Amino acid sequence: MPWADVPWAAVALDGTSLRGTFARTGGAGVHLMAGITHGTGIVIGQRLVPEGSCEVTRFAPVLDQVADLTEVVVAADALHTTRDHATYVTDRGGH
């Protein structure tokens, strides 16, 4: 099915720390990286960001959960404006 026919032809990726998890983990908290569709608000993928790591390392693993990125627009914050991330998206047919 071409992405033009799908209501979620754009996805946004961002990381967040879960409120209420800092005291239970000794101050580190639980940090997740997730992808969500623009049109429907459906979470298309999510990965735990291990303590001592950063969400940059979870960009591709979150998008790996999407079978086809052809013609999909991928939006993320400035942290992800790297050549590796751009190459990953375009190699999979995305924008």
Side-chain angles (χ1 to χ4, degrees):
M1 167 187 289
W3 282 107
D5 299 334
V6 178
W8 56 281
V11 297
L13 282 90
D14 200 9
T16 189
S17 293
L18 300 181
R19 185 173 71 171
T21 62
F22 291 91
R24 287 187 281 143
T25 60
V30 173
H31 192 79
L32 300 173
M33 175 74 166
I36 188 170
T37 63
H38 278 242
T40 61
I42 296 171
V43 175
I44 52 111
Q46 180 172 278
R47 288 287 187 252
L48 177 67
V49 178
E51 187 176 345
S53 184
C54 69
E55 64 187 58
V56 171
T57 63
R58 298 297 172 245
F59 182 87
V62 168
L63 289 175
D64 285 344
Q65 295 177 277
V66 179
D68 184 11
L69 285 180
T70 304
E71 298 302 318
V72 173
V73 174
V74 177
D77 58 24
L79 186 64
H80 301 286
T81 56
T82 67
R83 185 179 308 272
D84 287 344
H85 289 179
T87 301
Y88 172 85
V89 171
T90 56
D91 283 352
R92 294 202 46 211
H95 303 283

